[in-house]
Amino acid sequence: MAPPRILLSGDVRGRLSQLFKRVSSVNKSAGPFDALLCVGQFFPDAPELLEEFADYVEGRSPVPLPTYFIGDYGIGAPKVLSAASRSHANLGFKMDGLKICENLYWLKGSGKFTLHGLSVAYISGRHSLDGQQFGTYSQDDVDAMRALAEEAGVVDLFLSNEWPSGITNRAARTDVPPGISEASGSDSTISEIVAEIKPRYHIAGTKGVFYAREPYSNADAVHVTRFIGLAPVGNKVKQKFIHALSPTPASTMSSSEISMKPSNTTLSPFTAVEQSAGAKEAGKRTADDTNDAQYWRYDVSQKRQKHAVGDGDKLCFKYLSSGSCPRGEKCNFRHDIDAREQYRRGVCFDFLNKGKCERGPDCNFKHSLQEEEESGSRNGNRSRGASVNRSKECWFCLSSPNVESHLIISVGERYYCALPKGPLVEDHVLIIPIEHLPNTLSLPPENETELNRFQNSLKMYHKNQQKEVVFFEWVSKRGTHANVQAIPVPSSRAAALQSIFSLAAVKLGFKFNSLSADGRKMLRTEFDGKSSLFYVELPEGTVLSHIVEDNENFPAQFGREVVAGLLNVADKADWRNCALSKEEEIKLVEEFKRQFAAFDPNT
């Protein structure tokens, strides 16, 4: 299969007619191309361009090929992006873009998705301390990018608006355009991100010039990175604003192919920055300074800890949310144990970090420091009688007058299988204990044996249809009747499940605990039943779990939202958007029972 053909564009600044005229010309002479990726400011920089821009985003003028942008700032951006964020079609964790109109997608925040076989990572917006709703990236977005560095696989394309600071270090001076060393349009955070995720291509805008740097090698990686900076659309000095690529996806390349280094390959420009900064800082320190730095590393009882290097007062979100940071002492942000405890008690990260929160009353977290006694009262033992006694109001109890028996597919001795209300996909089912019990992890071995039979039967059934099954359960301390969700996904998408769940977790501020061999068995041993928990069982057997704190704002539909994003049906993340009539439900159940009959463990 021929490699995908991708067009790249610099800052559009609302000049969509000019951009698409050029794209159509290039597509006709050298195409067809599969997609257009835009970096730098996408929205207009002048009011007179709004009418032309609106013709495209409102669907009156056609967008000629799938177009993705990350420059979510400029005149008119809040209105367009607010509407897109509220659209039912854009609910859930959509890493592959929120749809603005036909063929136009906004890559919001940060993430990674597959585009015609290419692994594409991105961070939208620009660095800012203003806390604007659109046009800036957050610490959460940065942490999500850093989490990608820990995942297997090579990122083919990385998109950012700003250039990485120091990109011209070790580059041939003759190739560097005049004025390129100016600080405007460069960002040191982008340098850190790109040095960690090590993409094969890094594309950026904002600087106002075109620059294709020589390839550079990466620390701890065999492949090189090529940086391409693009000029704005329609710039007066006719700098190149559109560029074509046709890269073979790294996932299909041999080790010898991906490790090839052109003769003009340089060392990484970012190791030079780190080494010179480290040497400069070391030269400034006295013996007392060094002792203070060592004290900070090992004593975490101080309210305001000292940093040997870095941004001093800024808090590390990764540390606050998870209690650890993979960058360790190399992290440029503060690891404050007291702030971590306040975050655990439900205090807003922005309030802790900046002393204020721009979200105001819309924020779900607290904007004052919390005393230990308040935390203790929240963590007091709660009576569990309501969650273990059979409820006549329960939807899932077979003896309840509220049970919808037409949804039942198969009944065993201890579990039954049923169609959910508002299924995400046609073969989405629930595995439910017959007894009114709060979770499936604390049940006796005989219950676990029957649950495994149901799961294995569903796996075999879907295997015949080239699908894999993902199982997940939300165990709430306030929950009543347990249920395990079983959702089939195409075998071709199954490998992305762990990546998308992990990335969604980072965006919510936590990191999954991963259990591989006998994961569910280990989870049953570890779970004490006293806390809320979310876990997901992946097709290859890995179990990802997360203990949910009392003060944590965890979405009950998290598992469904993530799978909806993977399947590109984000509008179905809310089950109410998928509600069926009773007649439609009966038809689905009967069809599933007919096809499942040969695999049903209870027939």
mmCIF file of all heavy atoms in Angstrom, residues 333-377:
data_model
loop_
_atom_site.group_PDB
_atom_site.id
_atom_site.type_symbol
_atom_site.label_atom_id
_atom_site.label_comp_id
_atom_site.label_asym_id
_atom_site.label_seq_id
_atom_site.Cartn_x
_atom_site.Cartn_y
_atom_site.Cartn_z
ATOM 1 N N PHE A 333 9.082 21.684 37.739
ATOM 2 C CA PHE A 333 8.020 22.205 38.585
ATOM 3 C C PHE A 333 8.132 21.636 39.998
ATOM 4 O O PHE A 333 8.811 20.643 40.239
ATOM 5 C CB PHE A 333 6.650 21.891 37.966
ATOM 6 C CG PHE A 333 6.492 22.489 36.594
ATOM 7 C CD1 PHE A 333 6.757 21.751 35.453
ATOM 8 C CD2 PHE A 333 6.110 23.816 36.441
ATOM 9 C CE1 PHE A 333 6.640 22.302 34.194
ATOM 10 C CE2 PHE A 333 5.984 24.380 35.185
ATOM 11 C CZ PHE A 333 6.249 23.631 34.060
ATOM 12 N N ARG A 334 7.434 22.268 40.923
ATOM 13 C CA ARG A 334 7.603 21.981 42.343
ATOM 14 C C ARG A 334 6.796 20.753 42.762
ATOM 15 O O ARG A 334 5.616 20.622 42.436
ATOM 16 C CB ARG A 334 7.163 23.215 43.147
ATOM 17 C CG ARG A 334 7.425 23.142 44.626
ATOM 18 C CD ARG A 334 7.527 24.544 45.215
ATOM 19 N NE ARG A 334 6.396 25.377 44.857
ATOM 20 C CZ ARG A 334 5.289 25.485 45.587
ATOM 21 N NH1 ARG A 334 5.169 24.806 46.699
ATOM 22 N NH2 ARG A 334 4.312 26.273 45.200
ATOM 23 N N HIS A 335 7.437 19.851 43.505
ATOM 24 C CA HIS A 335 6.792 18.678 44.081
ATOM 25 C C HIS A 335 6.530 18.964 45.560
ATOM 26 O O HIS A 335 7.394 18.754 46.394
ATOM 27 C CB HIS A 335 7.672 17.436 43.915
ATOM 28 C CG HIS A 335 7.887 17.054 42.487
ATOM 29 N ND1 HIS A 335 8.745 16.052 42.095
ATOM 30 C CD2 HIS A 335 7.349 17.546 41.346
ATOM 31 C CE1 HIS A 335 8.723 15.940 40.784
ATOM 32 N NE2 HIS A 335 7.884 16.842 40.301
ATOM 33 N N ASP A 336 5.343 19.448 45.859
ATOM 34 C CA ASP A 336 5.006 19.935 47.195
ATOM 35 C C ASP A 336 4.019 18.971 47.843
ATOM 36 O O ASP A 336 2.880 18.835 47.398
ATOM 37 C CB ASP A 336 4.389 21.331 47.088
ATOM 38 C CG ASP A 336 4.237 22.011 48.434
ATOM 39 O OD1 ASP A 336 3.866 21.314 49.393
ATOM 40 O OD2 ASP A 336 4.485 23.228 48.512
ATOM 41 N N ILE A 337 4.448 18.310 48.911
ATOM 42 C CA ILE A 337 3.610 17.297 49.543
ATOM 43 C C ILE A 337 2.375 17.917 50.201
ATOM 44 O O ILE A 337 1.308 17.307 50.242
ATOM 45 C CB ILE A 337 4.426 16.464 50.564
ATOM 46 C CG1 ILE A 337 3.643 15.206 50.968
ATOM 47 C CG2 ILE A 337 4.818 17.298 51.778
ATOM 48 C CD1 ILE A 337 4.453 14.228 51.775
ATOM 49 N N ASP A 338 2.507 19.149 50.718
ATOM 50 C CA ASP A 338 1.347 19.797 51.329
ATOM 51 C C ASP A 338 0.303 20.169 50.283
ATOM 52 O O ASP A 338 -0.897 20.015 50.499
ATOM 53 C CB ASP A 338 1.785 21.043 52.100
ATOM 54 C CG ASP A 338 2.625 20.684 53.320
ATOM 55 O OD1 ASP A 338 2.232 19.749 54.049
ATOM 56 O OD2 ASP A 338 3.665 21.308 53.537
ATOM 57 N N ALA A 339 0.785 20.665 49.141
ATOM 58 C CA ALA A 339 -0.143 20.974 48.054
ATOM 59 C C ALA A 339 -0.799 19.700 47.541
ATOM 60 O O ALA A 339 -1.983 19.692 47.191
ATOM 61 C CB ALA A 339 0.599 21.684 46.920
ATOM 62 N N ARG A 340 -0.036 18.614 47.494
ATOM 63 C CA ARG A 340 -0.584 17.307 47.088
ATOM 64 C C ARG A 340 -1.723 16.902 48.016
ATOM 65 O O ARG A 340 -2.780 16.455 47.574
ATOM 66 C CB ARG A 340 0.541 16.263 47.105
ATOM 67 C CG ARG A 340 0.118 14.812 47.272
ATOM 68 C CD ARG A 340 -0.366 14.182 46.019
ATOM 69 N NE ARG A 340 -0.615 12.771 46.209
ATOM 70 C CZ ARG A 340 -1.507 12.068 45.537
ATOM 71 N NH1 ARG A 340 -2.234 12.629 44.608
ATOM 72 N NH2 ARG A 340 -1.669 10.786 45.759
ATOM 73 N N GLU A 341 -1.558 17.100 49.334
ATOM 74 C CA GLU A 341 -2.594 16.738 50.298
ATOM 75 C C GLU A 341 -3.834 17.620 50.114
ATOM 76 O O GLU A 341 -4.963 17.142 50.179
ATOM 77 C CB GLU A 341 -2.057 16.869 51.728
ATOM 78 C CG GLU A 341 -3.047 16.447 52.805
ATOM 79 C CD GLU A 341 -3.519 15.008 52.646
ATOM 80 O OE1 GLU A 341 -2.728 14.158 52.179
ATOM 81 O OE2 GLU A 341 -4.691 14.737 52.991
ATOM 82 N N GLN A 342 -3.620 18.909 49.847
ATOM 83 C CA GLN A 342 -4.753 19.798 49.603
ATOM 84 C C GLN A 342 -5.508 19.383 48.338
ATOM 85 O O GLN A 342 -6.742 19.400 48.297
ATOM 86 C CB GLN A 342 -4.265 21.250 49.472
ATOM 87 C CG GLN A 342 -3.819 21.880 50.785
ATOM 88 C CD GLN A 342 -4.973 22.074 51.747
ATOM 89 O OE1 GLN A 342 -6.092 22.369 51.345
ATOM 90 N NE2 GLN A 342 -4.703 21.890 53.034
ATOM 91 N N TYR A 343 -4.757 18.983 47.305
ATOM 92 C CA TYR A 343 -5.391 18.531 46.061
ATOM 93 C C TYR A 343 -6.226 17.278 46.319
ATOM 94 O O TYR A 343 -7.328 17.126 45.790
ATOM 95 C CB TYR A 343 -4.318 18.266 45.005
ATOM 96 C CG TYR A 343 -4.868 17.880 43.650
ATOM 97 C CD1 TYR A 343 -5.319 18.853 42.753
ATOM 98 C CD2 TYR A 343 -4.947 16.548 43.265
ATOM 99 C CE1 TYR A 343 -5.835 18.510 41.526
ATOM 100 C CE2 TYR A 343 -5.456 16.188 42.030
ATOM 101 C CZ TYR A 343 -5.897 17.182 41.158
ATOM 102 O OH TYR A 343 -6.412 16.828 39.931
ATOM 103 N N ARG A 344 -5.709 16.380 47.163
ATOM 104 C CA ARG A 344 -6.435 15.162 47.514
ATOM 105 C C ARG A 344 -7.729 15.481 48.266
ATOM 106 O O ARG A 344 -8.682 14.709 48.229
ATOM 107 C CB ARG A 344 -5.558 14.245 48.379
ATOM 108 C CG ARG A 344 -4.485 13.493 47.604
ATOM 109 C CD ARG A 344 -3.425 12.925 48.535
ATOM 110 N NE ARG A 344 -3.985 12.047 49.528
ATOM 111 C CZ ARG A 344 -4.185 10.734 49.382
ATOM 112 N NH1 ARG A 344 -3.850 10.173 48.235
ATOM 113 N NH2 ARG A 344 -4.686 10.001 50.333
ATOM 114 N N ARG A 345 -7.758 16.617 48.939
ATOM 115 C CA ARG A 345 -8.958 17.032 49.673
ATOM 116 C C ARG A 345 -9.934 17.820 48.807
ATOM 117 O O ARG A 345 -10.909 18.362 49.311
ATOM 118 C CB ARG A 345 -8.556 17.865 50.898
ATOM 119 C CG ARG A 345 -7.764 17.076 51.940
ATOM 120 C CD ARG A 345 -7.313 17.982 53.075
ATOM 121 N NE ARG A 345 -6.317 17.285 53.907
ATOM 122 C CZ ARG A 345 -5.597 17.881 54.842
ATOM 123 N NH1 ARG A 345 -5.771 19.172 55.093
ATOM 124 N NH2 ARG A 345 -4.716 17.204 55.534
ATOM 125 N N GLY A 346 -9.633 17.921 47.520
ATOM 126 C CA GLY A 346 -10.588 18.534 46.598
ATOM 127 C C GLY A 346 -10.328 19.982 46.271
ATOM 128 O O GLY A 346 -11.183 20.666 45.709
ATOM 129 N N VAL A 347 -9.128 20.494 46.613
ATOM 130 C CA VAL A 347 -8.822 21.887 46.318
ATOM 131 C C VAL A 347 -8.385 22.010 44.856
ATOM 132 O O VAL A 347 -7.646 21.172 44.334
ATOM 133 C CB VAL A 347 -7.729 22.424 47.261
ATOM 134 C CG1 VAL A 347 -7.404 23.882 46.941
ATOM 135 C CG2 VAL A 347 -8.181 22.302 48.719
ATOM 136 N N CYS A 348 -8.835 23.063 44.196
ATOM 137 C CA CYS A 348 -8.568 23.318 42.775
ATOM 138 C C CYS A 348 -7.073 23.494 42.498
ATOM 139 O O CYS A 348 -6.376 24.208 43.234
ATOM 140 C CB CYS A 348 -9.345 24.572 42.355
ATOM 141 S SG CYS A 348 -8.921 25.208 40.735
ATOM 142 N N PHE A 349 -6.574 22.850 41.449
ATOM 143 C CA PHE A 349 -5.158 22.955 41.090
ATOM 144 C C PHE A 349 -4.782 24.398 40.755
ATOM 145 O O PHE A 349 -3.738 24.900 41.182
ATOM 146 C CB PHE A 349 -4.847 22.050 39.891
ATOM 147 C CG PHE A 349 -3.441 22.205 39.378
ATOM 148 C CD1 PHE A 349 -2.376 21.646 40.061
ATOM 149 C CD2 PHE A 349 -3.177 22.922 38.220
ATOM 150 C CE1 PHE A 349 -1.074 21.793 39.605
ATOM 151 C CE2 PHE A 349 -1.886 23.079 37.756
ATOM 152 C CZ PHE A 349 -0.829 22.508 38.450
ATOM 153 N N ASP A 350 -5.623 25.089 39.977
ATOM 154 C CA ASP A 350 -5.316 26.472 39.629
ATOM 155 C C ASP A 350 -5.265 27.355 40.867
ATOM 156 O O ASP A 350 -4.445 28.276 40.956
ATOM 157 C CB ASP A 350 -6.341 27.023 38.640
ATOM 158 C CG ASP A 350 -6.086 26.544 37.217
ATOM 159 O OD1 ASP A 350 -4.966 26.050 36.964
ATOM 160 O OD2 ASP A 350 -6.984 26.645 36.375
ATOM 161 N N PHE A 351 -6.159 27.111 41.834
ATOM 162 C CA PHE A 351 -6.145 27.883 43.076
ATOM 163 C C PHE A 351 -4.830 27.654 43.821
ATOM 164 O O PHE A 351 -4.223 28.602 44.337
ATOM 165 C CB PHE A 351 -7.328 27.486 43.959
ATOM 166 C CG PHE A 351 -7.336 28.167 45.300
ATOM 167 C CD1 PHE A 351 -7.809 29.464 45.432
ATOM 168 C CD2 PHE A 351 -6.864 27.514 46.430
ATOM 169 C CE1 PHE A 351 -7.799 30.098 46.673
ATOM 170 C CE2 PHE A 351 -6.843 28.137 47.663
ATOM 171 C CZ PHE A 351 -7.320 29.441 47.787
ATOM 172 N N LEU A 352 -4.373 26.403 43.886
ATOM 173 C CA LEU A 352 -3.116 26.101 44.560
ATOM 174 C C LEU A 352 -1.924 26.684 43.815
ATOM 175 O O LEU A 352 -0.955 27.151 44.418
ATOM 176 C CB LEU A 352 -2.942 24.582 44.688
ATOM 177 C CG LEU A 352 -3.896 23.866 45.642
ATOM 178 C CD1 LEU A 352 -3.759 22.355 45.479
ATOM 179 C CD2 LEU A 352 -3.629 24.263 47.091
ATOM 180 N N ASN A 353 -1.983 26.673 42.489
ATOM 181 C CA ASN A 353 -0.845 27.064 41.671
ATOM 182 C C ASN A 353 -0.750 28.583 41.480
ATOM 183 O O ASN A 353 0.338 29.147 41.466
ATOM 184 C CB ASN A 353 -0.938 26.383 40.308
ATOM 185 C CG ASN A 353 0.395 26.265 39.606
ATOM 186 O OD1 ASN A 353 1.433 26.141 40.249
ATOM 187 N ND2 ASN A 353 0.372 26.310 38.288
ATOM 188 N N LYS A 354 -1.917 29.239 41.318
ATOM 189 C CA LYS A 354 -1.925 30.671 40.987
ATOM 190 C C LYS A 354 -2.558 31.550 42.062
ATOM 191 O O LYS A 354 -2.459 32.773 41.999
ATOM 192 C CB LYS A 354 -2.696 30.906 39.677
ATOM 193 C CG LYS A 354 -2.227 30.091 38.494
ATOM 194 C CD LYS A 354 -3.173 30.338 37.317
ATOM 195 C CE LYS A 354 -2.862 29.426 36.149
ATOM 196 N NZ LYS A 354 -3.840 29.593 35.055
ATOM 197 N N GLY A 355 -3.258 30.900 43.012
ATOM 198 C CA GLY A 355 -3.971 31.676 44.015
ATOM 199 C C GLY A 355 -5.347 32.099 43.566
ATOM 200 O O GLY A 355 -6.092 32.753 44.301
ATOM 201 N N LYS A 356 -5.728 31.717 42.350
ATOM 202 C CA LYS A 356 -7.051 32.053 41.830
ATOM 203 C C LYS A 356 -7.427 31.042 40.753
ATOM 204 O O LYS A 356 -6.582 30.298 40.259
ATOM 205 C CB LYS A 356 -7.073 33.458 41.238
ATOM 206 C CG LYS A 356 -6.157 33.634 40.028
ATOM 207 C CD LYS A 356 -6.248 35.025 39.463
ATOM 208 C CE LYS A 356 -5.352 35.167 38.221
ATOM 209 N NZ LYS A 356 -5.466 36.515 37.613
ATOM 210 N N CYS A 357 -8.707 31.010 40.401
ATOM 211 C CA CYS A 357 -9.195 30.095 39.351
ATOM 212 C C CYS A 357 -10.132 30.877 38.453
ATOM 213 O O CYS A 357 -11.121 31.445 38.934
ATOM 214 C CB CYS A 357 -9.899 28.889 39.967
ATOM 215 S SG CYS A 357 -10.740 27.839 38.751
ATOM 216 N N GLU A 358 -9.830 30.905 37.172
ATOM 217 C CA GLU A 358 -10.637 31.671 36.219
ATOM 218 C C GLU A 358 -12.021 31.065 36.001
ATOM 219 O O GLU A 358 -12.927 31.729 35.520
ATOM 220 C CB GLU A 358 -9.912 31.781 34.867
ATOM 221 C CG GLU A 358 -8.707 32.715 34.869
ATOM 222 C CD GLU A 358 -7.481 32.088 35.503
ATOM 223 O OE1 GLU A 358 -7.517 30.876 35.817
ATOM 224 O OE2 GLU A 358 -6.479 32.805 35.693
ATOM 225 N N ARG A 359 -12.188 29.791 36.359
ATOM 226 C CA ARG A 359 -13.490 29.156 36.136
ATOM 227 C C ARG A 359 -14.538 29.625 37.138
ATOM 228 O O ARG A 359 -15.728 29.476 36.922
ATOM 229 C CB ARG A 359 -13.343 27.626 36.220
ATOM 230 C CG ARG A 359 -12.588 27.024 35.058
ATOM 231 C CD ARG A 359 -12.606 25.510 35.108
ATOM 232 N NE ARG A 359 -11.869 24.993 36.244
ATOM 233 C CZ ARG A 359 -10.583 24.672 36.211
ATOM 234 N NH1 ARG A 359 -9.907 24.839 35.111
ATOM 235 N NH2 ARG A 359 -9.967 24.207 37.280
ATOM 236 N N GLY A 360 -14.071 30.161 38.266
ATOM 237 C CA GLY A 360 -14.984 30.715 39.271
ATOM 238 C C GLY A 360 -16.017 29.708 39.735
ATOM 239 O O GLY A 360 -15.692 28.555 40.041
ATOM 240 N N PRO A 361 -17.300 30.096 39.777
ATOM 241 C CA PRO A 361 -18.352 29.201 40.282
ATOM 242 C C PRO A 361 -18.578 27.966 39.423
ATOM 243 O O PRO A 361 -19.211 27.017 39.865
ATOM 244 C CB PRO A 361 -19.600 30.102 40.302
ATOM 245 C CG PRO A 361 -19.294 31.209 39.330
ATOM 246 C CD PRO A 361 -17.819 31.421 39.419
ATOM 247 N N ASP A 362 -18.062 27.984 38.180
ATOM 248 C CA ASP A 362 -18.223 26.810 37.315
ATOM 249 C C ASP A 362 -17.236 25.699 37.649
ATOM 250 O O ASP A 362 -17.364 24.583 37.144
ATOM 251 C CB ASP A 362 -18.030 27.213 35.840
ATOM 252 C CG ASP A 362 -19.138 28.136 35.354
ATOM 253 O OD1 ASP A 362 -20.256 28.019 35.876
ATOM 254 O OD2 ASP A 362 -18.870 28.959 34.470
ATOM 255 N N CYS A 363 -16.251 26.006 38.482
ATOM 256 C CA CYS A 363 -15.242 25.006 38.848
ATOM 257 C C CYS A 363 -15.848 23.993 39.809
ATOM 258 O O CYS A 363 -16.617 24.342 40.712
ATOM 259 C CB CYS A 363 -14.032 25.683 39.489
ATOM 260 S SG CYS A 363 -12.711 24.531 39.924
ATOM 261 N N ASN A 364 -15.492 22.727 39.633
ATOM 262 C CA ASN A 364 -16.024 21.661 40.487
ATOM 263 C C ASN A 364 -15.195 21.433 41.746
ATOM 264 O O ASN A 364 -15.507 20.553 42.543
ATOM 265 C CB ASN A 364 -16.097 20.346 39.692
ATOM 266 C CG ASN A 364 -17.115 20.413 38.576
ATOM 267 O OD1 ASN A 364 -18.169 20.996 38.735
ATOM 268 N ND2 ASN A 364 -16.790 19.829 37.430
ATOM 269 N N PHE A 365 -14.102 22.222 41.917
ATOM 270 C CA PHE A 365 -13.208 22.015 43.052
ATOM 271 C C PHE A 365 -13.290 23.186 44.029
ATOM 272 O O PHE A 365 -13.923 24.205 43.761
ATOM 273 C CB PHE A 365 -11.773 21.807 42.548
ATOM 274 C CG PHE A 365 -11.610 20.577 41.708
ATOM 275 C CD1 PHE A 365 -11.809 20.621 40.331
ATOM 276 C CD2 PHE A 365 -11.290 19.357 42.285
ATOM 277 C CE1 PHE A 365 -11.679 19.484 39.552
ATOM 278 C CE2 PHE A 365 -11.147 18.219 41.517
ATOM 279 C CZ PHE A 365 -11.344 18.270 40.150
ATOM 280 N N LYS A 366 -12.627 23.052 45.161
ATOM 281 C CA LYS A 366 -12.710 24.046 46.230
ATOM 282 C C LYS A 366 -11.656 25.135 46.059
ATOM 283 O O LYS A 366 -10.554 24.871 45.602
ATOM 284 C CB LYS A 366 -12.535 23.352 47.590
ATOM 285 C CG LYS A 366 -13.654 22.366 47.880
ATOM 286 C CD LYS A 366 -13.386 21.577 49.131
ATOM 287 C CE LYS A 366 -14.535 20.603 49.373
ATOM 288 N NZ LYS A 366 -14.222 19.633 50.411
ATOM 289 N N HIS A 367 -12.028 26.340 46.472
ATOM 290 C CA HIS A 367 -11.142 27.487 46.344
ATOM 291 C C HIS A 367 -10.744 28.024 47.715
ATOM 292 O O HIS A 367 -10.691 29.235 47.937
ATOM 293 C CB HIS A 367 -11.799 28.576 45.495
ATOM 294 C CG HIS A 367 -12.019 28.158 44.083
ATOM 295 N ND1 HIS A 367 -12.970 28.699 43.265
ATOM 296 C CD2 HIS A 367 -11.398 27.197 43.333
ATOM 297 C CE1 HIS A 367 -12.929 28.125 42.080
ATOM 298 N NE2 HIS A 367 -11.988 27.206 42.095
ATOM 299 N N SER A 368 -10.472 27.114 48.636
ATOM 300 C CA SER A 368 -9.938 27.484 49.955
ATOM 301 C C SER A 368 -9.195 26.265 50.488
ATOM 302 O O SER A 368 -9.512 25.123 50.139
ATOM 303 C CB SER A 368 -11.053 27.894 50.914
ATOM 304 O OG SER A 368 -11.940 26.807 51.147
ATOM 305 N N LEU A 369 -8.188 26.512 51.350
ATOM 306 C CA LEU A 369 -7.428 25.406 51.912
ATOM 307 C C LEU A 369 -8.295 24.634 52.897
ATOM 308 O O LEU A 369 -9.082 25.212 53.649
ATOM 309 C CB LEU A 369 -6.168 25.937 52.600
ATOM 310 C CG LEU A 369 -5.175 26.667 51.684
ATOM 311 C CD1 LEU A 369 -3.958 27.108 52.479
ATOM 312 C CD2 LEU A 369 -4.748 25.774 50.525
ATOM 313 N N GLN A 370 -8.150 23.318 52.891
ATOM 314 C CA GLN A 370 -9.005 22.441 53.700
ATOM 315 C C GLN A 370 -8.229 21.884 54.880
ATOM 316 O O GLN A 370 -7.112 21.384 54.733
ATOM 317 C CB GLN A 370 -9.531 21.289 52.838
ATOM 318 C CG GLN A 370 -10.297 21.752 51.608
ATOM 319 C CD GLN A 370 -11.549 22.523 51.964
ATOM 320 O OE1 GLN A 370 -12.424 21.994 52.667
ATOM 321 N NE2 GLN A 370 -11.644 23.769 51.512
ATOM 322 N N GLU A 371 -8.842 21.976 56.069
ATOM 323 C CA GLU A 371 -8.208 21.439 57.271
ATOM 324 C C GLU A 371 -8.337 19.930 57.303
ATOM 325 O O GLU A 371 -9.255 19.345 56.726
ATOM 326 C CB GLU A 371 -8.843 22.038 58.526
ATOM 327 C CG GLU A 371 -8.653 23.540 58.650
ATOM 328 C CD GLU A 371 -7.190 23.928 58.761
ATOM 329 O OE1 GLU A 371 -6.413 23.133 59.324
ATOM 330 O OE2 GLU A 371 -6.834 25.010 58.265
ATOM 331 N N GLU A 372 -7.460 19.266 58.025
ATOM 332 C CA GLU A 372 -7.436 17.802 58.085
ATOM 333 C C GLU A 372 -8.716 17.249 58.672
ATOM 334 O O GLU A 372 -9.216 16.213 58.258
ATOM 335 C CB GLU A 372 -6.235 17.328 58.905
ATOM 336 C CG GLU A 372 -6.053 15.820 58.894
ATOM 337 C CD GLU A 372 -4.766 15.397 59.567
ATOM 338 O OE1 GLU A 372 -4.043 16.271 60.060
ATOM 339 O OE2 GLU A 372 -4.498 14.196 59.582
ATOM 340 N N GLU A 373 -9.293 17.974 59.659
ATOM 341 C CA GLU A 373 -10.493 17.462 60.317
ATOM 342 C C GLU A 373 -11.636 17.307 59.325
ATOM 343 O O GLU A 373 -12.420 16.382 59.385
ATOM 344 C CB GLU A 373 -10.935 18.412 61.447
ATOM 345 C CG GLU A 373 -10.027 18.403 62.657
ATOM 346 C CD GLU A 373 -8.724 19.139 62.373
ATOM 347 O OE1 GLU A 373 -8.701 19.951 61.430
ATOM 348 O OE2 GLU A 373 -7.723 18.880 63.092
ATOM 349 N N GLU A 374 -11.711 18.294 58.352
ATOM 350 C CA GLU A 374 -12.787 18.214 57.372
ATOM 351 C C GLU A 374 -12.621 16.990 56.503
ATOM 352 O O GLU A 374 -13.559 16.279 56.204
ATOM 353 C CB GLU A 374 -12.795 19.462 56.501
ATOM 354 C CG GLU A 374 -13.906 19.442 55.455
ATOM 355 C CD GLU A 374 -13.901 20.699 54.611
ATOM 356 O OE1 GLU A 374 -13.557 21.777 55.129
ATOM 357 O OE2 GLU A 374 -14.251 20.584 53.439
ATOM 358 N N SER A 375 -11.349 16.731 56.123
ATOM 359 C CA SER A 375 -11.068 15.547 55.314
ATOM 360 C C SER A 375 -11.440 14.293 56.074
ATOM 361 O O SER A 375 -12.023 13.361 55.540
ATOM 362 C CB SER A 375 -9.590 15.524 54.918
ATOM 363 O OG SER A 375 -9.278 14.345 54.245
ATOM 364 N N GLY A 376 -11.101 14.293 57.399
ATOM 365 C CA GLY A 376 -11.384 13.104 58.183
ATOM 366 C C GLY A 376 -12.861 12.826 58.286
ATOM 367 O O GLY A 376 -13.301 11.683 58.229
ATOM 368 N N SER A 377 -13.662 13.901 58.432
ATOM 369 C CA SER A 377 -15.094 13.674 58.554
ATOM 370 C C SER A 377 -15.670 13.123 57.272
ATOM 371 O O SER A 377 -16.612 12.343 57.279
ATOM 372 C CB SER A 377 -15.802 14.998 58.908
ATOM 373 O OG SER A 377 -15.693 15.917 57.847
#
